[in-house]
Amino acid sequence: MICQECKQRPATMHFTKIINGEKTEIHLCEHCAQEHGNVFMFPENSGFSIHNLLSGLLNFESPIKETKPNTFQMELLQCERCNMTYHQFTKIGRFGCSHCYDAFAKQLQPILKRLHSGNTIHAGKIPKRIGGTIHVRKQIEQLKQKLQELIAREEFEKAAEVRDQIRSLEAQLSEHGEGE
Amino acid sequence: MSLEKFLNRAVSSWMSQEGPDSDIVLSSRIRLARNIVDYEFPTVFSNEEAQQIVRIFEQYFAKQSYRSLGRFELLKMNELQPIEKRVLVEKHLISPHLAEDCPFGACLLSENEEVSIMVNEEDHIRIQCLFPGFQLTEALEMANELDDWMEWHVNYAFDERRGYLTSCPTNVGTGLRASVMMHLPALILTQQMNRIIPAINQLGLVVRGTYGEGSEALGNIFQISNQITLGKSEEDIVEDLKSVVQQLIAQERMAREALVKTLNIQLEDRVFRSYGILANSRVIESKEAAQCLSDVRLGIDLGYIKNISRNILNELMILTQPGFLQQYAGGALRPNERDVLRAKLIRERLKMEEKKAMEGDGV
């Protein structure tokens, strides 16, 4: 398609105007569109980002599923550490602090599912230093799985080894911190 | 400033070196988003908190060396000129957001410019590794090492269930965005890309043009990256992207072969016409330049054009951006002045290649 204005360059910007139900289509190249003063349409200047899309998604949350009193409660929902309200979050699409993840945990669950194709639980790297006990717990989990597999295959000698490994790791954990 | 001197300073390693499969994959990038525990996210943090974070970087990381990367330099956004910032954006070392909207933003840059760590952007820390060619695994390894180095000095905001906590829930979990820049002219010429993009999207990956969301890809260069950051390990995310990229490489190679077979002389004609435009034009817009550079690069890859180094596309695509041109000119330029300087820079750069080739022949 050729630009309507200069009739030289290919049209890369396609605008649709609807005024009183009457639809007009305009096809321009970048050069002419810029001269037309439609600069705001360019990705560079528009400021339209993932956050706009995201906040659309977030706002979509409440009205359908929730009944009125609940949406009212949601608007009052606030993170006690950074004072961000859930309402603010749905507008800007970004959290104020790490505690927001706890404060809005209930509302977050379906959002995370939608954003990460159904996933809500982290399965990646764990920080080396602060993640010490988490590492050990994950290791125990994996070993327990392995233990079940070995038992199912009746490889009892190997299973016993794995069981001992689990015991020593569990001992390590209880030394580290009681209760946790 | 002479062009050669300017180039020496302007070109970072990922633009000038070749990596695996670099006939199609121009660069591979890994980004990790991290936040420091007990500080509010940049969305709402106070100026004081922002400055404290910058101070942490000054104290522990600025002017430090890490392995083969050389010394790190901390560049503070409020101490840079607008053109300097723009150049960093055009080199993909910092984001437009950091350059424009983050008064307390900073960037910890390695000597070879393979690593750039953004401070106080959307998250407190964004580790970015940019490697030439198809080297996602290598870039991930490097990013992981740097991540451990950072964690030695700061406590990350991390939750056992949600992973690394990020300002935007689209990044939570691994905080990982892996992306590759690919030159896919044959898939465009054979009109296959329109069919391929939706298929890639269905796999949870995103396809974009070179600089952000615009659907049009300047110079047939596409950026492909993962969308999901939660519920998959870093290695799996990278492996999934890699397998799609490998398929795209194979498709592009097939399309190139088919083009050579069916349209040999027309393709050669197109390549040399584009070369003619680049070598002779006096005024050239960035879009036309990008298209011609893409053709010439394809011509080099297919052996029609000899004696020109392949990385000329990567290099000139970046160097003919407005910011670089203005840095080269040493001041602000109006759009039409840019088009003139762009044409001049490309002509001179091609002459340098010719000279190099002649010297090579003479010996």
Side-chain angles (χ1 to χ4, degrees), chain B residues 91-110:
Chain B
K91 284 167 111 171
H92 298 279
L93 294 172
I94 65 173
S95 66
H97 179 59
L98 186 78
E100 281 155 30
D101 315 315
C102 304
F104 296 100
C107 164
L108 190 70
L109 195 62
S110 76

Side-chain angles (χ1 to χ4, degrees), chain A residues 125-137 176, chain B residues 34-38 56 60-61 125 144-158 164:
Chain A
K125 187 173 177 176
I126 295 163
K128 281 230 163 83
R129 211 160 39 82
I130 62 165
T133 59
I134 306 175
H135 271 292
V136 179
R137 259 182 287 161
H176 251 280
Chain B
R34 300 288 186 253
N35 284 286
I36 306 174
V37 78
D38 294 334
I56 291 174
Y60 295 114
F61 305 113
I125 302 173
N144 265 330
E145 269 189 44
L146 289 162
D147 183 38
D148 296 341
W149 181 44
M150 301 263 127
E151 201 225 333
W152 201 249
H153 296 286
V154 295
N155 284 335
Y156 283 148
F158 180 84
Y164 292 93

Side-chain angles (χ1 to χ4, degrees), chain A residues 95-96 101 120 122 125 129, chain B residues 41 147 151 161-162 166-167:
Chain A
F95 289 120
Y101 278 91
T120 57
H122 179 55
K125 187 173 177 176
R129 211 160 39 82
Chain B
F41 292 157
D147 183 38
E151 201 225 333
R161 288 171 61 233
R162 303 290 186 224
T166 52
S167 150

